[in-house]
Amino acid sequence: MANDFSIIIPTFHEAMNIPELARRIAAVNFGERLFEVLLIDDNSNDGSLEIVNELAKQYPWLKMIVRREGRDHGQSIITGFQQASYPVLITMDADLSHPPEKIPFMLAMLDEARVDVVLGSRYVRGGSIDNKWPFFRKISSKLAAWISRLVLAGRIRDPLSGFLAIRKTTWQNGDPLTPIGWKIGLELMVKCHCKNIREIPIHFSERCLGKSKLNFEISFVYLYHVMKLVKYKIAGVSPRKTRHNC
Ligand SMILES: Nc1nc2c(ncn2[C@@H]2O[C@H](COP(=O)(O)OP(=O)(O)O)[C@@H](O)[C@H]2O)c(=O)[nH]1
Ligand SMILES: [Mg+2]
């Protein structure tokens, strides 16, 4: 069906979070929609694959694809898009920061033909972030969102959310993605020429288990990524009209 969906989750050293993530997804009522969960793992070698293989006996929709080309968050998501069996793509993190219970609401919004992308947003009314976040992280997250306005038209409150829903055809009809760093959502919205971007409120929980892979260097990579997107926008939209992302 046109609204069946694939949930793409990049993972690195998330063995501890995978069972609870699968349990939370299994508990959500997705109605008649078919779905799969693709965990795209950068060769964690921490027992994740064995855990997934065991869980898949109970949850046949759960799969892990192990990439052995080195760590690359953005490329992992693209691999997930390429392997996805269903026409709607959802991206989220594995550490339970993004509530899977919001997915039915995101899908319902994306069912509206003119909506291009739905973001799970921390910064719209009703959204929130974990109060464990230090002041510096709050400020830098808002600043990063503000900087993204250089490449995104309109007032999007949480353009850097890693929790989003998009149609596969929107991605396929866009220009080729070459993300660096972590903000593939921004890359997608710019290069797939998304105009109608909707946000729904989420509570972003801080991870309870495992370690964040975010580091200071990622902030500089983000600035470089935005600069590349600015250059892309100035150069104009690719004249090629064929499908690029398959
Ligand atoms: N495949 C892959 N996933 C990654 C990599 N780095 C982080 N992730 C995953 O990306 C998601 C977000 O990472 P996380 O460390 O929680 O970042 P934070 O939420 O910004 O602190 C999690 O599901 C991670 O397991 C990577 O190099 N490769
Ligand atoms: Mg996290």
Side-chain angles (χ1 to χ4, degrees):
M1 270 201 323
N3 47 16
D4 296 337
F5 61 101
S6 300
I7 306 177
I8 316 296
I9 307 180
T11 59
F12 189 68
H13 288 171
E14 299 290 2
M16 284 178 280
N17 286 311
I18 290 170
E20 178 63 3
L21 176 69
R23 194 199 60 75
R24 288 262 303 269
I25 293 173
V28 180
N29 180 1
F30 296 120
E32 299 290 299
R33 299 177 199 257
L34 299 179
F35 72 100
E36 66 183 350
V37 175
L38 300 181
L39 303 173
I40 316 297
D41 189 77
D42 274 348
N43 205 12
S44 297
N45 256 324
D46 64 343
S48 296
L49 183 60
E50 292 73 14
I51 290 172
V52 170
N53 288 340
E54 197 50 40
L55 287 167
K57 294 177 189 158
Q58 188 183 355
Y59 307 127
W61 37 259
L62 186 67
K63 293 162 207 158
M64 177 168 269
I65 295 168
V66 180
R67 289 181 357 109
R68 299 188 197 276
E69 298 93 26
R71 284 187 58 188
D72 190 329
H73 183 272
Q75 198 51 51
S76 296
I77 294 179
I78 293 175
T79 300
F81 284 8
Q82 288 164 339
Q83 300 294 325
S85 315
Y86 295 122
V88 173
L89 307 170
I90 307 259
T91 68
M92 65 187 290
D93 291 352
D95 56 358
L96 300 161
S97 290
H98 298 142
E101 296 76 14
K102 289 282 178 164
I103 292 174
F105 301 95
M106 296 168 82
L107 293 168
M109 211 172 251
L110 196 71
D111 283 347
E112 263 184 63
R114 52 187 211 95
V115 174
D116 296 315
V117 174
V118 181
L119 300 172
S121 173
R122 301 163 287 187
Y123 302 132
V124 289
R125 188 190 289 267
S128 51
I129 47 176
D130 201 300
N131 53 22
K132 281 188 222 139
W133 267 30
F135 180 71
F136 179 72
R137 187 161 179 198
K138 284 184 192 153
I139 293 290
S140 49
S141 168
K142 286 279 177 94
L143 182 65
W146 190 82
I147 290 172
S148 76
R149 288 197 200 166
L150 287 169
V151 289
L152 281 179
R155 182 107 197 265
I156 300 153
R157 303 253 173 191
D158 197 2
L160 306 178
S161 167
F163 191 21
L164 63 84
I166 186 166
R167 263 175 237 99
K168 198 181 201 177
T169 48
T170 307
W171 163 65
Q172 287 170 328
N173 293 330
D175 285 330
L177 303 185
T178 50
I180 48 168
W182 288 34
K183 301 305 175 190
I184 191 161
L186 188 61
E187 174 95 4
L188 263 175
M189 288 185 282
V190 172
K191 297 213 175 150
C192 300
H193 319 297
C194 298
K195 297 208 166 51
N196 198 346
I197 299 163
R198 297 282 184 87
E199 296 180 83
I200 65 158
I202 62 158
H203 173 70
F204 183 96
S205 319
E206 196 44 65
R207 66 162 65 235
C208 295
L209 299 172
K211 275 203 291 202
S212 167
K213 287 99 206 166
L214 191 68
N215 57 33
F216 198 59
E217 192 194 316
I218 297 283
S219 317
F220 291 101
V221 174
Y222 171 64
L223 291 177
Y224 181 54
H225 187 191
V226 174
M227 266 170 48
K228 277 185 60 175
L229 288 174
V230 168
K231 259 177 81 181
Y232 164 85
K233 289 207 80 160
I234 291 172
V237 171
S238 160
R240 288 181 294 157
K241 288 273 184 284
T242 48
R243 286 152 61 121
H244 308 297
N245 292 313
C246 301

